[in-house]
Amino acid sequence: MAARQQMAPVLRRLRLPKTPTNLGRQASLQQSLSRPVRCFSTSSPQRFQRTAPAAAAQSKFTSESYPDIKRDSRFAQLTEEHVAYFRELLGSESAVIDGVTSSDAADDIEPFNSDWMRKYRGHCKLVLKPASTEEVSKILKYCNDKMLAVVPQGGNTGLVGGSVPVFDEIVINMSRMSQILEFDDVSGTLVAEAGCILEVADQFLAEKGYIFPLDLGAKGSCQIGGNVSTNAGGLRLLRYGSLHGTVLGIEAVLADGTVVDDLCKLRKNNTGYDLKQLFIGAEGTIGIITKVSIQCPQRSPAQNVAFFGLESFDQVQQAFRAAKGQLSEILSAFELMDEGSQALVRQVTNNKRPLEDKYPFYCLIETSGSNADHDSEKLQAFLEDVMEKGIVVDGTLAQDETQIKALWAWREGITEALSHLGGTYKYDVSIPLKELYQLVEDTRARVDAAGLLGDTEEFPVRAVVGYGHMGDANLHLNVSTRRFDERVEKVLEPFVYEWIAERQGSISAEHGLGVMKKKFIGYSRNPTMVGLMRDIKTTFDPNGILNPYKYL
Amino acid sequence: MAARQQMAPVLRRLRLPKTPTNLGRQASLQQSLSRPVRCFSTSSPQRFQRTAPAAAAQSKFTSESYPDIKRDSRFAQLTEEHVAYFRELLGSESAVIDGVTSSDAADDIEPFNSDWMRKYRGHCKLVLKPASTEEVSKILKYCNDKMLAVVPQGGNTGLVGGSVPVFDEIVINMSRMSQILEFDDVSGTLVAEAGCILEVADQFLAEKGYIFPLDLGAKGSCQIGGNVSTNAGGLRLLRYGSLHGTVLGIEAVLADGTVVDDLCKLRKNNTGYDLKQLFIGAEGTIGIITKVSIQCPQRSPAQNVAFFGLESFDQVQQAFRAAKGQLSEILSAFELMDEGSQALVRQVTNNKRPLEDKYPFYCLIETSGSNADHDSEKLQAFLEDVMEKGIVVDGTLAQDETQIKALWAWREGITEALSHLGGTYKYDVSIPLKELYQLVEDTRARVDAAGLLGDTEEFPVRAVVGYGHMGDANLHLNVSTRRFDERVEKVLEPFVYEWIAERQGSISAEHGLGVMKKKFIGYSRNPTMVGLMRDIKTTFDPNGILNPYKYL
């Protein structure tokens, strides 16, 4: 982490009268902006530490946390015969982790049973690691015939318990299908297996002058099959759009083993219903994605990151409008953080803050373009405009890659900082922009009114904070607690969901449904929609063996 | 149309040694590029003339052109009782055009029975024009109960016969549902009724500093409901992406009258299967879209258009790569035209060509950005680069809006020029970029070898030409004929479809399936996919009343 002194507080006095000294500052700003900053991945690879067996042994089973969920008795219990079939099919010793016929494998299986937050934990006794689509197909056909439930698993970096079993579902882990298969350097089309790690794909593309049109904190661990299955949003949706627009094709295996070959590599193909779209965001409930074809944009050679302090959410909105208008085609991220979230990062990391003073809100703005001088000029004009108008009070601008990373860490480090402080109630929501932050204020007031929020140990809630992707109207509302207290949950739910539903927001902007939000879908989808979704599920997976107890 | 002398042939001598004269030319280029060109709609509004009754009377019925298609006997015949119900329901006199109980309405109905190319013609006797979602719902519920087949119809500008009846299906015309309902000028989200004309929506957005993320020649007539139902691609998909990425929500009515309210206005919403995606490109076969919510980007204040001559398709590809790399975020169109297509435009319009000499290929490049000076500088650097490397032989650059329109007319005018010359076999295909133009050459060689291609009247085929959206690997192969000759069709089909299938291309990149390509879907989709599509159709429209005889 770069310390404060490495940052150039060049914007601080931009509004002062133009004395020679201040002119010098402006020249310095211009100069620094003109310096080309090479492109790189701004999100520091975050290798999620799998839960160590010892620790996991202490974490609660999902079946205990959610006592309402009962094992579906239609599903068969795993037997030695099943295991023998899979051993024969997959051949390799390492492709089958067998806790059915032997209890020695318990420790090896545990990481596949637990999510990285240690919030969800299943009772799975068999992990399969197919190496080809054909193997996935044979596994599923067998499971469907024998009524064995399965959980498809990518990098297991999800936040809603979608990628780990609840009971004894077989984990089908995709990590052995990790190859990049094809890249067309004229069109920018990449084809890769589902288990390919996002960062690996992005680094491959970087060498070709392209970029993966998705970026998120977990990129060092998450897999593109999982990204597509969960319709991951991430940091640069603002610029490159959703996976529904960038994914060109998929190959997937249905519950009965049927291979759906829709691995189209064309940008346009209007021949029938766009079935692949159903798999994007289906969380593995209608098929297992085995390959992905995706349209990748050119990588921008120039990048700038600025970090602002703002006095009100109204000013944040004004800054966003100004950025959209003036930075337009080079704007690649507009992130929001409130003071509470930054205080927690500071508390955990002890890093010096980017700005000297505290402000109720901070924004991180990133530009990516093909010409560093042009980008700097646009950014400078924007900065002058928002400071002259008093929209932005204070700010700093990264001067090199190290500083860019350091600034991003104040945004990307929030999740990790919170995880160091104890339990967190996390809500990933989308609300029309004007009311985006009101949810945090209303929630904080409610928790406070219930006498649950305070600075000392007697209060179960440490802080109610908000941050997120302003550009996508995507807020992460986080309630940081000191200990479990059921009064907190009662104050929060269903209050938060009702608040969102009243504003026609989404109770899950990008994290998905999984186990966590299965029962809350009604707050964002009407019964007609849910009914149609159930029809789709039944059409694709009539026995319901794919990722049961979740989603719908 | 601007004449040649209005164009500045400034690029012609860019490769000459730098004499003072040539330096002057370069300065002039720079100066002209620096002049800001205000943003406007480049595609001249093309109001499609509806087929006049007299002429239509002469055009062939689809049921005659496609004798294999038989009327589905499960569908009821329209009676006076049905008409009385609809009259009562819709109230307004103009909302029901009744050719069932009276023969006086025949002329009024004809335009709804025929497509604008006069290629498809149905036997419809009843046109309904609902004014609300509720009315659409009641119409469909009644039709579903009575087994009356319907055809949803937008602007009726399609090219594959999808928007007109084949037999006596009721036309449900959406033109009375044309309101813009909502616009959020911070997020850029527009909500409008399905019958809103694309150009009306775009002009509304222009006043707010935004742009509709879709543009196509028929914008003056086509409706956004139809655009979404056909997943229209158009001219700027390269920049703004597909409707699968930009459409945020839809409201649609299912065959049984159920209203699917998925009119989400959020960029992110991961709560269940993304059902709206199925309606995008479904050509009205699973429901009628009544409202659309769409993410609109900022309108770029600066725009430039350049027009090049190139010696080979290999150079076209090189130019495309260079444009992607150097124009990057400001590139908004890269269109391809071959000499044959331009000769036809010249023949019909008699306009002076943009370039003095003829070349095998021409490209039209458009940039759209937020800063005119920056864009000009980028464009200039690009032009110098491609000319120095000998990729581009000759070119011209529009100096003002009139010239921009004039250059676009050489691309957008091809379809109209062809329609003036007689019948055309039109193939709208997508093929991996490297082989994009090979299809035109192979087809031409095949038609020529069959002795069908020539300059004089004895040859049925006038020309085999190619043009299209290079940026999307989307080619329009057009075979211009002098008269109908079944030998031509036999030489073309299934040859063209097989050629595309061998290269995993799409037999319909953006035009859709309709009547024309229903039976050819197998060339682009495997039986598994088609089977799943049939399952979807059955789930949403079990009686099959929506747009029958088409699509699947």
Side-chain angles (χ1 to χ4, degrees), chain B residues 2-41:
Chain B
R4 171 85 183 112
Q5 56 270 29
Q6 290 180 285
M7 300 282 178
V10 285
L11 310 178
R12 181 163 294 278
R13 282 156 206 266
L14 214 65
R15 282 192 294 160
L16 289 186
K18 291 187 179 180
T19 63
T21 318
N22 287 318
L23 283 173
R25 280 179 190 276
Q26 287 196 31
S28 138
L29 165 65
Q30 188 159 19
Q31 198 175 28
S32 69
L33 275 161
S34 300
R35 209 178 303 155
V37 180
R38 298 301 302 173
C39 185
F40 69 104
S41 147

Short mmCIF file of all heavy atoms in Angstrom, two decimals, chain B residues 2-41:
data_model
loop_
_atom_site.label_atom_id
_atom_site.label_comp_id
_atom_site.label_asym_id
_atom_site.label_seq_id
_atom_site.Cartn_x
_atom_site.Cartn_y
_atom_site.Cartn_z
N ALA B 2 -24.84 15.13 -51.62
CA ALA B 2 -23.73 16.06 -51.91
C ALA B 2 -22.94 15.55 -53.10
O ALA B 2 -22.70 14.36 -53.23
CB ALA B 2 -22.82 16.17 -50.71
N ALA B 3 -22.57 16.42 -53.96
CA ALA B 3 -21.82 16.00 -55.15
C ALA B 3 -20.33 15.89 -54.82
O ALA B 3 -19.87 16.33 -53.77
CB ALA B 3 -22.05 17.00 -56.26
N ARG B 4 -19.63 15.28 -55.74
CA ARG B 4 -18.21 15.01 -55.56
C ARG B 4 -17.41 16.25 -55.15
O ARG B 4 -16.55 16.20 -54.28
CB ARG B 4 -17.66 14.43 -56.87
CG ARG B 4 -16.15 14.29 -56.94
CD ARG B 4 -15.69 13.00 -56.32
NE ARG B 4 -14.23 12.93 -56.34
CZ ARG B 4 -13.51 12.97 -55.26
NH1 ARG B 4 -14.09 13.03 -54.10
NH2 ARG B 4 -12.21 12.88 -55.33
N GLN B 5 -17.70 17.36 -55.83
CA GLN B 5 -16.87 18.55 -55.59
C GLN B 5 -16.99 19.07 -54.16
O GLN B 5 -16.14 19.79 -53.69
CB GLN B 5 -17.17 19.66 -56.61
CG GLN B 5 -18.64 20.09 -56.67
CD GLN B 5 -19.43 19.28 -57.69
OE1 GLN B 5 -19.11 18.12 -57.96
NE2 GLN B 5 -20.46 19.87 -58.26
N GLN B 6 -18.03 18.68 -53.47
CA GLN B 6 -18.15 19.12 -52.08
C GLN B 6 -17.25 18.31 -51.15
O GLN B 6 -17.00 18.69 -50.04
CB GLN B 6 -19.60 18.97 -51.62
CG GLN B 6 -20.53 19.97 -52.28
CD GLN B 6 -21.94 19.77 -51.79
OE1 GLN B 6 -22.62 18.83 -52.20
NE2 GLN B 6 -22.39 20.63 -50.91
N MET B 7 -16.81 17.17 -51.63
CA MET B 7 -15.96 16.32 -50.80
C MET B 7 -14.52 16.78 -50.90
O MET B 7 -14.07 17.22 -51.95
CB MET B 7 -16.02 14.87 -51.30
CG MET B 7 -17.39 14.28 -51.27
SD MET B 7 -17.82 13.79 -49.60
CE MET B 7 -19.48 13.20 -49.90
N ALA B 8 -13.81 16.62 -49.83
CA ALA B 8 -12.40 17.00 -49.85
C ALA B 8 -11.55 15.75 -50.04
O ALA B 8 -11.48 14.92 -49.14
CB ALA B 8 -12.03 17.68 -48.54
N PRO B 9 -10.92 15.61 -51.18
CA PRO B 9 -10.10 14.41 -51.41
C PRO B 9 -8.74 14.58 -50.76
O PRO B 9 -7.71 14.38 -51.38
CB PRO B 9 -10.02 14.35 -52.93
CG PRO B 9 -10.10 15.78 -53.38
CD PRO B 9 -10.83 16.55 -52.31
N VAL B 10 -8.75 14.95 -49.51
CA VAL B 10 -7.52 15.36 -48.84
C VAL B 10 -6.54 14.23 -48.59
O VAL B 10 -5.36 14.46 -48.35
CB VAL B 10 -7.83 16.04 -47.49
CG1 VAL B 10 -8.36 17.44 -47.71
CG2 VAL B 10 -8.80 15.21 -46.70
N LEU B 11 -7.03 13.03 -48.65
CA LEU B 11 -6.14 11.93 -48.28
C LEU B 11 -5.34 11.41 -49.45
O LEU B 11 -4.39 10.67 -49.28
CB LEU B 11 -6.97 10.76 -47.71
CG LEU B 11 -7.95 11.14 -46.63
CD1 LEU B 11 -8.72 9.92 -46.20
CD2 LEU B 11 -7.20 11.72 -45.46
N ARG B 12 -5.78 11.79 -50.61
CA ARG B 12 -5.25 11.18 -51.82
C ARG B 12 -3.73 11.13 -51.85
O ARG B 12 -3.15 10.14 -52.26
CB ARG B 12 -5.79 11.95 -53.01
CG ARG B 12 -5.35 11.44 -54.36
CD ARG B 12 -6.26 11.98 -55.42
NE ARG B 12 -7.59 11.46 -55.26
CZ ARG B 12 -7.96 10.26 -55.71
NH1 ARG B 12 -7.10 9.47 -56.31
NH2 ARG B 12 -9.19 9.85 -55.56
N ARG B 13 -3.08 12.20 -51.50
CA ARG B 13 -1.63 12.26 -51.70
C ARG B 13 -0.84 12.14 -50.40
O ARG B 13 0.30 12.54 -50.32
CB ARG B 13 -1.27 13.57 -52.40
CG ARG B 13 -1.57 13.49 -53.88
CD ARG B 13 -1.77 14.88 -54.47
NE ARG B 13 -2.61 14.80 -55.65
CZ ARG B 13 -2.14 14.70 -56.88
NH1 ARG B 13 -0.85 14.66 -57.09
NH2 ARG B 13 -2.96 14.62 -57.91
N LEU B 14 -1.45 11.61 -49.42
CA LEU B 14 -0.80 11.56 -48.12
C LEU B 14 0.51 10.78 -48.14
O LEU B 14 1.39 11.01 -47.32
CB LEU B 14 -1.76 10.94 -47.09
CG LEU B 14 -1.64 11.48 -45.67
CD1 LEU B 14 -2.03 12.93 -45.63
CD2 LEU B 14 -2.53 10.68 -44.75
N ARG B 15 0.63 9.90 -49.09
CA ARG B 15 1.85 9.08 -49.12
C ARG B 15 2.99 9.71 -49.90
O ARG B 15 4.07 9.17 -49.96
CB ARG B 15 1.51 7.70 -49.71
CG ARG B 15 0.82 6.81 -48.69
CD ARG B 15 0.77 5.40 -49.18
NE ARG B 15 -0.08 5.30 -50.35
CZ ARG B 15 -0.03 4.30 -51.22
NH1 ARG B 15 0.84 3.33 -51.05
NH2 ARG B 15 -0.84 4.26 -52.25
N LEU B 16 2.73 10.84 -50.56
CA LEU B 16 3.80 11.50 -51.32
C LEU B 16 4.87 12.01 -50.37
O LEU B 16 4.62 12.25 -49.19
CB LEU B 16 3.22 12.68 -52.10
CG LEU B 16 2.32 12.32 -53.29
CD1 LEU B 16 1.94 13.59 -54.03
CD2 LEU B 16 3.01 11.35 -54.23
N PRO B 17 6.10 12.19 -50.90
CA PRO B 17 7.15 12.77 -50.05
C PRO B 17 6.71 14.13 -49.52
O PRO B 17 5.93 14.85 -50.17
CB PRO B 17 8.35 12.94 -51.00
CG PRO B 17 7.96 12.35 -52.30
CD PRO B 17 6.56 11.87 -52.26
N LYS B 18 7.20 14.49 -48.35
CA LYS B 18 6.72 15.71 -47.70
C LYS B 18 7.31 16.97 -48.32
O LYS B 18 8.27 17.54 -47.82
CB LYS B 18 7.00 15.66 -46.20
CG LYS B 18 6.15 14.62 -45.50
CD LYS B 18 6.29 14.68 -44.01
CE LYS B 18 5.39 13.64 -43.36
NZ LYS B 18 5.48 13.65 -41.91
N THR B 19 6.77 17.41 -49.41
CA THR B 19 7.13 18.69 -49.99
C THR B 19 6.31 19.75 -49.26
O THR B 19 5.34 19.41 -48.57
CB THR B 19 6.73 18.72 -51.48
OG1 THR B 19 5.30 18.59 -51.53
CG2 THR B 19 7.36 17.57 -52.25
N PRO B 20 6.70 21.02 -49.38
CA PRO B 20 5.91 22.07 -48.73
C PRO B 20 4.43 21.97 -49.10
O PRO B 20 3.55 22.13 -48.26
CB PRO B 20 6.54 23.37 -49.25
CG PRO B 20 7.95 23.00 -49.57
CD PRO B 20 7.91 21.56 -50.03
N THR B 21 4.15 21.65 -50.38
CA THR B 21 2.75 21.55 -50.81
C THR B 21 2.02 20.46 -50.04
O THR B 21 0.91 20.64 -49.55
CB THR B 21 2.70 21.19 -52.31
OG1 THR B 21 3.68 21.94 -52.98
CG2 THR B 21 1.32 21.45 -52.88
N ASN B 22 2.69 19.33 -49.93
CA ASN B 22 2.03 18.22 -49.24
C ASN B 22 1.88 18.48 -47.75
O ASN B 22 0.91 18.05 -47.14
CB ASN B 22 2.80 16.92 -49.49
CG ASN B 22 2.58 16.44 -50.90
OD1 ASN B 22 1.46 16.48 -51.40
ND2 ASN B 22 3.66 16.04 -51.56
N LEU B 23 2.87 19.17 -47.20
CA LEU B 23 2.72 19.53 -45.79
C LEU B 23 1.49 20.40 -45.61
O LEU B 23 0.75 20.26 -44.65
CB LEU B 23 3.98 20.27 -45.30
CG LEU B 23 5.18 19.36 -45.03
CD1 LEU B 23 6.40 20.20 -44.72
CD2 LEU B 23 4.88 18.40 -43.88
N GLY B 24 1.30 21.29 -46.57
CA GLY B 24 0.10 22.13 -46.54
C GLY B 24 -1.17 21.30 -46.55
O GLY B 24 -2.09 21.55 -45.79
N ARG B 25 -1.16 20.27 -47.36
CA ARG B 25 -2.33 19.40 -47.42
C ARG B 25 -2.58 18.74 -46.06
O ARG B 25 -3.69 18.59 -45.62
CB ARG B 25 -2.10 18.27 -48.44
CG ARG B 25 -2.32 18.70 -49.87
CD ARG B 25 -2.05 17.52 -50.79
NE ARG B 25 -2.03 17.95 -52.17
CZ ARG B 25 -3.12 18.09 -52.91
NH1 ARG B 25 -4.29 17.84 -52.39
NH2 ARG B 25 -3.04 18.50 -54.16
N GLN B 26 -1.47 18.36 -45.46
CA GLN B 26 -1.64 17.70 -44.16
C GLN B 26 -2.22 18.66 -43.13
O GLN B 26 -3.07 18.30 -42.34
CB GLN B 26 -0.32 17.12 -43.67
CG GLN B 26 0.07 15.89 -44.47
CD GLN B 26 1.14 15.08 -43.79
OE1 GLN B 26 1.21 15.06 -42.58
NE2 GLN B 26 1.96 14.41 -44.56
N ALA B 27 -1.71 19.91 -43.18
CA ALA B 27 -2.23 20.90 -42.24
C ALA B 27 -3.73 21.09 -42.48
O ALA B 27 -4.52 21.16 -41.54
CB ALA B 27 -1.50 22.22 -42.43
N SER B 28 -4.09 21.09 -43.74
CA SER B 28 -5.50 21.28 -44.06
C SER B 28 -6.34 20.11 -43.54
O SER B 28 -7.43 20.27 -43.03
CB SER B 28 -5.65 21.45 -45.57
OG SER B 28 -6.74 20.74 -46.06
N LEU B 29 -5.76 18.93 -43.66
CA LEU B 29 -6.46 17.76 -43.13
C LEU B 29 -6.69 17.92 -41.64
O LEU B 29 -7.79 17.74 -41.13
CB LEU B 29 -5.63 16.49 -43.40
CG LEU B 29 -6.03 15.25 -42.63
CD1 LEU B 29 -7.42 14.78 -43.03
CD2 LEU B 29 -5.04 14.13 -42.86
N GLN B 30 -5.58 18.32 -40.98
CA GLN B 30 -5.68 18.46 -39.53
C GLN B 30 -6.74 19.49 -39.16
O GLN B 30 -7.56 19.27 -38.29
CB GLN B 30 -4.32 18.90 -38.99
CG GLN B 30 -4.27 18.88 -37.48
CD GLN B 30 -2.86 18.81 -36.97
OE1 GLN B 30 -1.93 19.11 -37.71
NE2 GLN B 30 -2.70 18.38 -35.74
N GLN B 31 -6.70 20.61 -39.89
CA GLN B 31 -7.65 21.68 -39.62
C GLN B 31 -9.09 21.18 -39.82
O GLN B 31 -9.95 21.39 -38.98
CB GLN B 31 -7.36 22.82 -40.59
CG GLN B 31 -7.96 24.14 -40.16
CD GLN B 31 -7.53 25.25 -41.11
OE1 GLN B 31 -7.25 24.99 -42.28
NE2 GLN B 31 -7.46 26.46 -40.63
N SER B 32 -9.28 20.50 -40.92
CA SER B 32 -10.64 20.07 -41.21
C SER B 32 -11.11 19.05 -40.17
O SER B 32 -12.26 19.01 -39.79
CB SER B 32 -10.72 19.47 -42.61
OG SER B 32 -10.02 18.24 -42.64
N LEU B 33 -10.17 18.22 -39.72
CA LEU B 33 -10.53 17.22 -38.72
C LEU B 33 -10.87 17.86 -37.39
O LEU B 33 -11.65 17.32 -36.61
CB LEU B 33 -9.37 16.24 -38.54
CG LEU B 33 -9.32 15.08 -39.52
CD1 LEU B 33 -7.94 14.48 -39.54
CD2 LEU B 33 -10.34 14.02 -39.15
N SER B 34 -10.22 19.02 -37.13
CA SER B 34 -10.43 19.64 -35.83
C SER B 34 -11.78 20.32 -35.71
O SER B 34 -12.24 20.64 -34.64
CB SER B 34 -9.33 20.68 -35.58
OG SER B 34 -8.09 20.04 -35.60
N ARG B 35 -12.39 20.56 -36.85
CA ARG B 35 -13.68 21.24 -36.81
C ARG B 35 -14.73 20.33 -36.17
O ARG B 35 -14.94 19.22 -36.64
CB ARG B 35 -14.09 21.57 -38.25
CG ARG B 35 -14.97 22.80 -38.36
CD ARG B 35 -15.28 23.06 -39.83
NE ARG B 35 -14.10 23.22 -40.64
CZ ARG B 35 -14.06 22.98 -41.96
NH1 ARG B 35 -15.12 22.52 -42.59
NH2 ARG B 35 -12.96 23.17 -42.63
N PRO B 36 -15.34 20.80 -35.11
CA PRO B 36 -16.31 19.89 -34.48
C PRO B 36 -17.52 19.65 -35.38
O PRO B 36 -18.06 20.58 -35.97
CB PRO B 36 -16.73 20.63 -33.22
CG PRO B 36 -16.36 22.05 -33.44
CD PRO B 36 -15.25 22.08 -34.43
N VAL B 37 -17.87 18.43 -35.52
CA VAL B 37 -19.07 18.08 -36.28
C VAL B 37 -20.13 17.68 -35.26
O VAL B 37 -19.93 16.77 -34.48
CB VAL B 37 -18.78 16.92 -37.23
CG1 VAL B 37 -20.03 16.55 -38.01
CG2 VAL B 37 -17.65 17.26 -38.18
N ARG B 38 -21.22 18.39 -35.24
CA ARG B 38 -22.25 18.09 -34.24
C ARG B 38 -22.88 16.74 -34.49
O ARG B 38 -22.94 16.26 -35.62
CB ARG B 38 -23.36 19.16 -34.26
CG ARG B 38 -22.88 20.55 -33.92
CD ARG B 38 -22.25 20.64 -32.57
NE ARG B 38 -23.14 20.22 -31.49
CZ ARG B 38 -22.77 20.09 -30.23
NH1 ARG B 38 -21.53 20.32 -29.88
NH2 ARG B 38 -23.63 19.70 -29.34
N CYS B 39 -23.34 16.18 -33.44
CA CYS B 39 -23.94 14.85 -33.53
C CYS B 39 -25.33 14.92 -34.16
O CYS B 39 -26.07 15.86 -33.94
CB CYS B 39 -24.08 14.28 -32.13
SG CYS B 39 -24.66 12.62 -32.14
N PHE B 40 -25.67 13.94 -34.91
CA PHE B 40 -27.02 13.84 -35.48
C PHE B 40 -27.23 12.42 -35.94
O PHE B 40 -26.32 11.61 -35.95
CB PHE B 40 -27.17 14.81 -36.65
CG PHE B 40 -26.35 14.40 -37.82
CD1 PHE B 40 -26.95 13.83 -38.93
CD2 PHE B 40 -24.96 14.53 -37.79
CE1 PHE B 40 -26.17 13.41 -39.98
CE2 PHE B 40 -24.20 14.11 -38.85
CZ PHE B 40 -24.79 13.55 -39.96
N SER B 41 -28.42 12.13 -36.33
CA SER B 41 -28.69 10.79 -36.82
C SER B 41 -28.17 10.64 -38.23
O SER B 41 -28.56 11.36 -39.13
CB SER B 41 -30.20 10.55 -36.81
OG SER B 41 -30.56 9.72 -37.87
#
